[in-house]
Amino acid sequence: MAAIASATVRLWHIFLLIGLCAALYFPYLASTPFFDKGEPREAMAVQDIMNRGEWLVPLKRATDVPSKPPLFHWSAAAVSTLAGQMNEATIRFPSALYATLGVLLVYFLGGKLFGADTALLGAAILATTLVYGDQALSARVDMTLCFYVTLSLGLFYAIYRGFLRSGVWLYVFYGLVGISTLAKGPLGILLPALVCASLVLLERRWDWLGKFCVHPGVLLMLILGAGWYVIAVSRGGEGFFSRQIVSENLARFAGGSGHSHPVYYYVSYLFSLGMPWAVFFPLLFWDYGKRRWFADGDKLFLGLWFVVIFLFFSISAGKRPVYLLPIYPALALLLAVWLRQMAGAGTIRRWLLRLIALNAVLVGAALLLITLGALWNHDAAWFFEPIGKLLRAKDRANFFVVRDSLADFGNLFTLVALASAALWLGLGQALWRYRLRAAAVLLIVNSILFGFVAHRIVVPAIAETKSYKPFMAQVNQRVQSKPLYLFGEFNSDPVLFYRGQTIPMLRASVAEIAPTLGQGQRYLIMTESAWKEMQKATPALPAPLFTSSGTGPEGDARLVLTAAR
C-alpha cells in the first residue's frame, strides 16, 4: 500500500509540474513575432530545412552553414513538419518542450536524492526562475544545451551512485554526451566532463577515472560528436571551420570574440537571472559554506555542478548572461533542500529575511496603490506618466508603448495587479514569520502572474515597435513573385525569414540606384535613412510604397519598400 501511495504522489507531482510548465511557457509561444537578432538567425536554418529538405547540413541564406550545430534546428523543423506549418510557435516549441523535460528531470533526480516533496519544490523553483522561463520561450539553442547537460549529468550521477547498474547505461551516457555537442558545440562534452571529473577527484574515486576514460562508449561519443562536424567541414570548407570551431568556441573562450567582459561579470547576473529566488541566494551560499553541507555527497555533486560551470564561464573571455543557464537546475535543487531543512533562524538570518520581507511589502503596497489608482482614475496605466518623465527620450518611447498596451487590458490588468499585490504582501508576512515554505509557494504563484504580464503585455508591446513582420506581410502581398532586392546595410535576417525565401542583395552605389527608383517591375527594400539620402540626391524621388512601423533588432532601422526600373 505504501508503494502504491508513493507512486500516486509522484504521479500527482508530475501532473502538477506539467501543468505549471503548461501555464508558464506554451500559451506564449506565438504571442510575439521575431524582433531580436538571435531568433531570426536560428529560424532561417529551420526555414532552409523546410524549403530545401536539407536536414543534415541546413544553411543560412542558402549559402552559409549556421554558426550553431543543428540539433535545435532539427527539433524545430520536426515540430513544424508535424504541425504542417512553420511559424514562431513551432520554431519556439522545442525550447518550451526541452524546458518542461528539464523540469521533470530535476524532479526525478531530486526525488532519488532528497525525496518527492523536496524534488517537487526544486523542479517548481527551476520552472519559475527568470532566465529559465525566458529561454523556454526563445527560438535559440541555449535551452537545448541546458536540457542535454542536465540529462547527461543526471544520468552520470545515477550511474555513479548505483541507481542504474546495467552496463548499457554507460553507453547511453556517452551517446547522450556525444549528441549534446550538436546543441552548442564542444560545450556539450566539456561541461559534463568538468563536473564529473571534479566529483571523482574530490571523492578520490580513482577507479572511476579508468572506468570512464577507457570505456568503449568514449568511441561512441566521439563518433556522434565529431561525425556531423566532419560532414559540415567537408561541405562548408575552411569558412565553416573558422567560424564555428575557431570563432564560436576557441576564440570566444580565449579572446572574447566580441563579448569580452571581466572575470567578475557574472556575479550580478547570477542574482538577476535567478529572480525571484535570488533573494535567498546570499543565505543559501552562507549556510552551505558555514555548515559544510557539501560534505554530503549528493549536495557536493550539485554544488560542483553549479560552481564548476560558473567558474568555467567566468574564466572564459567571451561572456553572455544566458551562458549561465545550465547552472540553475543544480541551484534549484540546492535551494529546495535548504528551504525544507532550515529549522531555526539565527538573529542575523532573521533580520536579513525581515529586510527582504519589508521590500516585498513595499512592492505589494506599490501594486495595491496602482490598483486603487486605476479603479479611481479608470486608467490602468495612470502610474506611467510620472515615471516616464524621468526617462531618456529613447527609453520613454518603449515605456509608453508598454503603458498603452497595459491600458488596453483594462480591468484584467487591474485584477492581475491586485492579485499580485496580495501575493507580495503575503510573501512579506511569510518571510517576517520565517515561514519559508509558504514563501516559496507564494513566489511560484506570483511567477505565473508575472509571466502573464511579461509575455502577454510587455514583451509583445516592445516587439511591436521592432518587428518587421507587419511590414513584410505588406511587402509579400504587393510584390508576390516579382523581383525583390535588398539594398544597404541592416540586419536582414527577420526580413528574409518573413519573406520565406532568400532575397538577393543589390550591389550598387546610392548614385546608381537613385535614378532607377519610381515605377517599375522591380522592388527594393532599404532603410529609411538610405532612402532619405537618395532623396537628397534626387529631390523628385517618389515616396516609398510602404514604411515599416518596426525599427529592427537595434531599434534604428526603419525600412521602406520602393519600386524600381
Side-chain angles (χ1 to χ4, degrees), residues 478 516-524 542-545 561-565:
R478 175 65 178 260
T516 69
L517 298 184
Q519 300 297 321
Q521 295 300 309
R522 296 193 308 167
Y523 293 90
L524 271 65
L545 300 173
L561 176 72
T562 64
R565 298 190 298 276

Side-chain angles (χ1 to χ4, degrees), residues 73-348:
H73 309 136
W74 291 342
S75 303
V79 172
S80 300
T81 301
L82 291 173
Q85 59 180 328
M86 180 183 61
N87 52 37
E88 295 92 345
T90 62
I91 295 175
R92 290 174 178 142
F93 186 89
S95 291
L97 178 61
Y98 284 133
T100 302
L101 294 175
V103 167
L104 295 178
L105 281 174
V106 166
Y107 174 75
F108 292 131
L109 178 62
K112 274 290 186 182
L113 302 182
F114 309 113
D117 291 340
T118 300
L120 176 65
L121 178 58
I125 288 172
L126 178 62
T128 52
T129 296
L130 180 62
V131 66
Y132 198 83
D134 178 66
Q135 291 305 304
L137 294 170
S138 178
R140 303 191 70 170
V141 302
D142 298 280
M143 184 56 75
T144 308
L145 174 67
C146 181
F147 168 74
Y148 277 94
V149 169
T150 302
L151 180 57
S152 298
L153 287 173
L155 183 58
F156 159 79
Y157 197 62
I159 298 169
Y160 184 81
R161 279 286 307 273
F163 300 144
L164 300 173
R165 297 182 180 276
S166 173
V168 74
W169 288 111
L170 273 174
Y171 287 96
V172 174
F173 166 74
Y174 281 112
L176 284 171
V177 173
I179 292 172
S180 67
T181 62
L182 300 181
K184 205 176 180 181
L187 285 176
I189 292 178
L190 189 58
L191 296 181
L194 289 173
V195 175
C196 297
S198 299
L199 179 65
V200 170
L201 291 173
L202 281 178
E203 294 199 333
R204 300 181 180 180
R205 295 292 302 274
W206 313 122
D207 57 317
W208 279 85
L209 285 177
K211 186 174 182 178
F212 269 88
C213 292
V214 300
H215 192 276
V218 174
L219 181 60
L220 174 64
M221 177 184 71
L222 294 176
I223 291 173
L224 291 174
W228 179 83
Y229 282 92
V230 171
I231 296 172
V233 168
S234 69
R235 295 195 182 185
E238 184 180 345
F240 166 80
F241 183 83
S242 174
R243 181 178 184 185
Q244 187 160 127
I245 304 299
V246 178
S247 178
E248 285 289 321
N249 293 280
L250 300 178
R252 182 153 296 183
F253 182 84
S257 187
H259 297 285
S260 297
H261 297 284
V263 70
Y264 54 82
Y265 174 77
Y266 283 126
V267 174
S268 61
Y269 281 107
L270 171 66
F271 290 87
S272 61
L273 298 178
M275 292 299 290
W277 304 100
V279 296
F280 297 119
F281 286 178
L283 292 173
L284 170 72
F285 299 150
W286 173 264
D287 280 343
Y288 269 72
K290 182 180 179 181
R291 299 187 180 196
R292 297 180 58 82
W293 278 17
F294 289 136
D296 174 278
D298 297 336
K299 299 189 188 75
L300 174 63
F301 168 66
L302 295 174
L304 288 173
W305 181 341
F306 157 55
V307 171
V308 169
I309 295 179
F310 183 83
L311 290 178
F312 171 81
F313 284 121
S314 295
I315 294 170
S316 170
K319 296 178 176 69
R320 291 181 60 242
V322 73
Y323 292 172
L324 290 184
L325 182 62
I327 72 173
Y328 286 97
L331 263 180
L333 271 181
L334 287 172
L335 181 57
V337 174
W338 181 81
L339 287 170
R340 289 187 59 81
Q341 292 187 0
M342 286 295 96
T347 302
I348 296 178

Side-chain angles (χ1 to χ4, degrees), residues 34-45 139 491 493-494 497 553:
F34 294 142
F35 67 96
D36 65 1
K37 292 188 293 184
E39 288 193 300
R41 182 177 62 229
E42 307 304 334
M44 287 175 62
N491 189 316
D493 287 352
F497 175 77

Side-chain angles (χ1 to χ4, degrees), residues 260-530:
S260 297
H261 297 284
V263 70
Y264 54 82
Y265 174 77
Y266 283 126
V267 174
S268 61
Y269 281 107
L270 171 66
F271 290 87
S272 61
L273 298 178
M275 292 299 290
W277 304 100
V279 296
F280 297 119
F281 286 178
L283 292 173
L284 170 72
F285 299 150
W286 173 264
D287 280 343
Y288 269 72
K290 182 180 179 181
R291 299 187 180 196
R292 297 180 58 82
W293 278 17
F294 289 136
D296 174 278
D298 297 336
K299 299 189 188 75
L300 174 63
F301 168 66
L302 295 174
L304 288 173
W305 181 341
F306 157 55
V307 171
V308 169
I309 295 179
F310 183 83
L311 290 178
F312 171 81
F313 284 121
S314 295
I315 294 170
S316 170
K319 296 178 176 69
R320 291 181 60 242
V322 73
Y323 292 172
L324 290 184
L325 182 62
I327 72 173
Y328 286 97
L331 263 180
L333 271 181
L334 287 172
L335 181 57
V337 174
W338 181 81
L339 287 170
R340 289 187 59 81
Q341 292 187 0
M342 286 295 96
T347 302
I348 296 178
R349 185 185 293 109
R350 185 176 295 278
W351 280 108
L352 286 174
L353 284 172
R354 286 188 171 183
L355 181 61
I356 298 171
L358 289 175
N359 285 310
V361 169
L362 288 175
V363 173
L367 287 169
L368 187 60
L369 179 63
I370 290 170
T371 304
L372 294 176
L375 293 173
W376 179 266
N377 295 325
H378 302 288
D379 179 8
W382 67 272
F383 60 93
F384 276 79
E385 294 296 339
I387 299 175
K389 295 176 181 178
L390 304 176
L391 300 176
R392 297 177 301 173
K394 183 178 179 180
D395 298 325
R396 193 178 302 128
N398 282 341
F399 191 73
F400 287 134
V401 167
V402 175
R403 176 202 63 185
D404 296 339
S405 182
L406 290 174
D408 291 340
F409 275 75
N411 291 334
L412 179 58
F413 173 72
T414 302
L415 290 174
V416 171
L418 182 61
S420 187
L423 289 168
W424 278 104
L425 293 172
L427 175 64
Q429 182 187 44
L431 291 172
W432 189 272
R433 295 182 176 182
Y434 202 65
R435 297 170 55 201
L436 298 185
R437 298 179 195 178
V441 173
L442 290 168
L443 280 174
I444 291 168
V445 177
N446 213 350
S447 294
I448 298 175
L449 290 179
F450 175 81
F452 173 80
V453 174
H455 300 301
R456 188 65 76 188
I457 302 176
V458 176
V459 178
I462 296 173
E464 186 178 352
T465 68
K466 293 186 174 185
S467 178
Y468 292 141
K469 183 177 181 179
F471 171 72
M472 288 308 299
Q474 290 181 299
V475 170
N476 291 338
Q477 185 176 14
R478 175 65 178 260
V479 174
Q480 296 182 3
S481 60
K482 297 174 184 175
L484 177 66
Y485 300 89
L486 300 176
F487 176 76
E489 297 295 327
F490 61 95
N491 189 316
S492 59
D493 287 352
V495 171
L496 297 177
F497 175 77
Y498 286 117
R499 175 60 176 169
Q501 61 189 51
T502 58
I503 306 175
M505 178 68 71
L506 196 59
R507 305 290 181 182
S509 67
V510 170
E512 292 172 322
I513 293 295
T516 69
L517 298 184
Q519 300 297 321
Q521 295 300 309
R522 296 193 308 167
Y523 293 90
L524 271 65
I525 294 176
M526 67 183 74
T527 63
E528 187 178 43
S529 60

